[in-house]
Amino acid sequence: MKKKHDLIVVLDFGAQYSMLIARRVRECNVYCELKSYDTSVEELKKIDAKGIILSGGPSSVYDEGAPRPDPKLWESGIPILGICYGTQLLAKELGGKVEKGKKHEYGKAKLEIEDQTDLFAGLPKEIQCWMSHGDHVTKLPPGFKIEAVTENCATAAVGSKEKKIFGVQFHPEVAHTPQGLDIIKNFLFVVCQVQPTWTTESFIEYSIDKVQREVGKEKVLVALSGGVDSTTVAILANKAIGDQLTCMFIDQGFMRKNEAKKITELFRKYYKINLIHVDASKKFFAKLKGITDPEEKRKIIGTEFIRTFEEEANKLGEIPFLGQGTLYPDVIESAVKTPAKGYHSKAAARIKTHHNVGGLPEDMRFKLIEPLRKLFKDEVRNLGRGLGIPEEIISRQPFPGPGLAIRIIGEVTPERVKILQEVDDIIATEIKEAGFYKKLWQSFGVLLPIRTVGVMGDKRTYLNTVALRCVTSSDAMTADWAKLPYELLEKISSRIVNEIPEVNRVVYDISSKPPSTIEWE
Ligand code: XMP
């Protein structure tokens, strides 16, 4: 890192909210990393952690094998904030007592603040907080005092000014604790006294510097998908290493309407980046002829993508580096060991074969550069904005690697793609116009393999059916179908059937995930 930023570490004890804590810290412009709960004090000192947050977790401190940090942590002198399980842990290990609550306390509670310094500096006497715990601290460790209470918890916040160790039983990181961010800020700026230097400008600078250092005078290839991650990697690499960069955009034939054109224009005209546009659509359509099984489709598209990429990359001669848009959550998923989750991503059952642009084979000869691997998605968006990438790309809804092909149920043909492109364009336009685009996780059409009878003018029709799929979600792991206004649904439906001659019926998908998935295939 060129400029050194103060570092806060979240030790992950398996809480559902660990990543959120790290994001909140970064929202305060302080650099934060998530590490395994058993990271040694030696390591924490080596990376110069200025403060440590112990996350919550599903265990009880009295469980056999309950996860514990390095026992030397408490005497390390690094300021500590425990959250929920983290608080119980520090209380028990420092000589206090933790007991099982009679019942699990879960939900909103009124927090009465007794000490308006340190963690609660500048906050009113009473705030709302979000509780979710079974055990609680019943005897304070020596040198500790109570900082805040709730009706059901006499030790809602505890702390020792001398040791700079504090613990809260509630969750300051969630939105249900409206002033939670102020509490986190107090830990950062009052207790740890770190500097808020982690800004958009600084992570642009950091990322450019990282690319330059890793790449030197060598060449880099970036595969573009049109999404925010790969576009940001490309524009960043362009800023960092200029024409040592080549971008490749493989058009499989299942992009959205005019998308290929927009991408090539942006890169060639606006950024003047060396872009190779590979129109591989004929090949992809030929491979998918007669294929209707969703998994088979996904596999064919994935394999064909890799093959095309390799063929085209070979034509370019020696390029040692491949730039990829890997983000911090992906890195954490596979690298941070947590007691509850283990290395969970690998163990998850395969629901669908995912194909990402850049999801390239492991045995490839490229060395990877992943300049976004320390960033969260919202930081990537800010980085992209800082680099001047158009808002249309920055705030684009997720779009699957296999594109419209997995939204065409049954055989994928150029004719059917064309129909769905028109449908998709109408949906996107109307959803944007109505101000729902950013509120929805995704909104798109699915072309069904059935025709139904309709009447237009005085004539019978026998045409295609389209399903409209609009969902809200925060991470795509779960999703709700969106309760859109009837007027908007009506407008989308009537535009589709009036403007697209191949379609005479539109239905709305009212299933949530689980048990359904967001995409239909
Ligand atoms: P499902 O359909 O599994 O989708 O609920 C969850 C999210 O993942 C996206 N998705 C993909 N993204 N490559 C991707 O990059 C894929 O193969 C793929 N399949 C699904 C989907 O759009 C949703 O946001």
Side-chain angles (χ1 to χ4, degrees):
M1 239 182 267
K2 207 168 172 185
K3 185 159 126 205
K4 195 165 159 346
H5 300 278
D6 287 333
L7 167 70
I8 296 290
V9 168
V10 175
L11 292 184
D12 187 0
F13 288 88
Q16 180 188 353
Y17 298 125
S18 305
M19 199 149 24
L20 186 58
I21 303 171
R23 278 181 46 195
R24 289 281 180 263
V25 172
R26 291 203 194 174
E27 274 172 38
C28 306
N29 301 121
V30 175
Y31 186 62
C32 182
E33 288 197 4
L34 203 68
K35 301 260 177 212
S36 301
Y37 65 94
D38 55 0
T39 307
S40 69
V41 167
E42 200 186 348
E43 170 69 13
L44 294 169
K45 291 240 159 127
K46 200 168 105 199
I47 57 178
D48 197 16
K50 292 279 194 290
I52 309 246
I53 301 179
L54 311 176
S55 82
S59 315
S60 159
V61 284
Y62 291 110
D63 286 350
E64 205 175 311
R68 295 181 56 198
D70 180 344
K72 293 199 283 293
L73 183 67
W74 316 114
E75 302 307 325
S76 66
I78 308 173
I80 295 172
L81 172 65
I83 295 178
C84 200
Y85 175 78
T87 299
Q88 295 146 18
L89 196 62
L90 69 87
K92 175 170 176 277
E93 302 229 343
L94 288 166
K97 205 166 163 193
V98 175
E99 281 176 36
K100 285 224 174 307
K102 289 203 183 62
K103 57 179 197 273
H104 192 99
E105 190 185 4
Y106 185 84
K108 286 180 191 162
K110 197 167 72 184
L111 186 77
E112 286 174 42
I113 297 170
E114 300 194 345
D115 183 338
Q116 285 168 295
T117 62
D118 301 316
L119 280 193
F120 301 105
L123 287 166
K125 264 292 216 209
E126 257 182 41
I127 62 170
Q128 180 193 304
C129 71
W130 181 260
M131 286 288 202
S132 169
H133 66 110
D135 300 355
H136 61 269
V137 179
T138 51
K139 184 177 149 242
L140 295 178
F144 274 69
K145 62 187 235 341
I146 288 171
E147 307 239 321
V149 299
T150 65
E151 199 181 329
N152 293 319
C153 183
T155 51
V158 300
S160 158
K161 277 187 205 302
E162 291 69 39
K163 290 185 191 296
K164 295 199 173 182
I165 298 181
F166 296 87
V168 291
Q169 194 56 77
F170 59 91
H171 288 274
E173 71 278 18
V174 303
H176 297 303
T177 304
Q179 273 139 312
L181 200 61
D182 292 325
I183 299 170
I184 293 173
K185 279 186 182 159
N186 280 335
F187 177 66
L188 301 175
F189 304 125
V190 179
V191 180
C192 303
Q193 305 209 337
V194 293
Q195 296 302 314
T197 57
W198 183 249
T199 56
T200 305
E201 297 74 43
S202 74
F203 54 75
I204 291 182
E205 202 184 303
Y206 159 81
S207 312
I208 289 179
D209 179 56
K210 194 163 170 355
V211 174
Q212 285 169 339
R213 276 191 291 117
E214 283 181 19
V215 172
K217 300 254 169 287
E218 309 268 28
K219 287 189 174 164
V220 178
L221 181 61
V222 170
L224 289 180
S225 69
V228 61
D229 305 338
S230 64
T231 306
T232 305
V233 169
I235 304 297
L236 187 73
N238 173 50
K239 267 227 152 56
I241 54 165
D243 56 12
Q244 286 161 256
L245 168 74
T246 302
C247 289
M248 190 186 293
F249 167 54
I250 297 174
D251 185 353
Q252 305 156 322
F254 328 126
M255 300 293 286
R256 288 167 163 156
K257 188 178 174 182
N258 293 332
E259 188 122 26
K261 193 165 150 249
K262 278 189 214 157
I263 293 175
T264 43
E265 273 184 10
L266 178 75
F267 276 76
R268 288 199 180 130
K269 282 205 189 122
Y270 189 71
Y271 283 104
K272 311 228 178 321
I273 291 177
N274 182 15
L275 173 73
I276 297 167
H277 176 193
V278 183
D279 181 358
S281 51
K282 283 213 177 77
K283 228 166 52 171
F284 276 86
F285 283 121
K287 292 275 176 195
L288 288 173
K289 201 164 171 48
I291 306 293
T292 56
D293 179 74
E295 271 301 276
E296 217 180 318
K297 256 188 210 176
R298 280 177 171 271
K299 285 194 179 129
I300 291 172
I301 296 169
T303 312
E304 204 46 39
F305 182 85
I306 289 166
R307 217 167 270 156
T308 312
F309 182 83
E310 281 178 331
E311 256 172 54
E312 296 295 325
N314 282 337
K315 291 185 197 161
L316 300 173
E318 185 53 23
I319 297 192
F321 285 100
L322 182 72
Q324 286 195 321
T326 316
L327 304 190
Y328 196 44
D330 311 328
V331 176
I332 294 173
E333 278 256 312
S334 52
V336 174
K337 183 176 69 174
T338 71
K341 293 178 257 182
Y343 293 92
H344 64 108
S345 58
K346 301 214 171 67
R350 168 164 299 181
I351 311 290
K352 297 176 184 182
T353 302
H354 265 229
H355 155 59
N356 303 312
V357 169
L360 297 166
E362 284 166 14
D363 61 352
M364 262 186 10
R365 61 194 164 81
F366 290 104
K367 289 182 266 180
L368 292 184
I369 56 156
E370 299 174 311
L372 314 180
R373 62 180 281 125
K374 295 279 172 158
L375 303 186
F376 287 111
K377 190 84 182 185
D378 40 354
E379 291 174 314
V380 173
R381 292 208 175 94
N382 285 337
L383 174 62
R385 286 190 186 101
L387 292 167
I389 298 172
E391 194 57 35
E392 191 188 339
I393 294 179
I394 302 280
S395 50
R396 201 178 84 144
Q397 292 174 350
F399 188 64
L404 298 180
I406 56 165
R407 295 176 179 172
I408 294 172
I409 314 304
E411 191 184 358
V412 182
T413 62
E415 298 71 34
R416 291 184 76 76
V417 170
K418 180 87 184 54
I419 297 172
L420 190 57
Q421 279 177 336
E422 297 300 330
V423 167
D424 180 74
D425 189 52
I426 292 176
I427 296 172
T429 308
E430 292 303 328
I431 293 280
K432 280 179 189 164
E433 180 107 327
F436 277 93
Y437 188 78
K438 285 193 188 176
K439 290 183 200 150
L440 297 175
W441 176 265
Q442 277 170 304
S443 42
F444 56 86
V446 181
L447 184 58
L448 306 188
I450 49 165
R451 289 191 291 164
T452 68
V453 174
V455 52
M456 268 194 169
D458 290 327
K459 281 212 193 89
R460 175 187 190 270
T461 58
Y462 187 49
L463 300 169
N464 292 290
T465 304
V466 159
L468 175 61
R469 180 71 165 145
C470 298
V471 297
T472 55
S473 174
S474 60
D475 55 9
M477 300 298 288
T478 60
D480 283 323
W481 62 276
K483 282 64 177 186
L484 293 178
Y486 285 159
E487 297 72 27
L488 175 58
L489 295 175
E490 185 178 21
K491 179 129 189 248
I492 293 172
S493 160
S494 71
R495 273 201 64 192
I496 292 173
V497 293
N498 283 318
E499 294 173 34
I500 303 174
E502 295 88 351
V503 179
N504 70 351
R505 189 177 299 269
V506 177
V507 295
Y508 193 47
D509 182 347
I510 51 168
S511 358
S512 290
K513 174 182 180 175
S516 301
T517 52
I518 298 176
E519 304 286 348
W520 278 39
E521 290 194 334

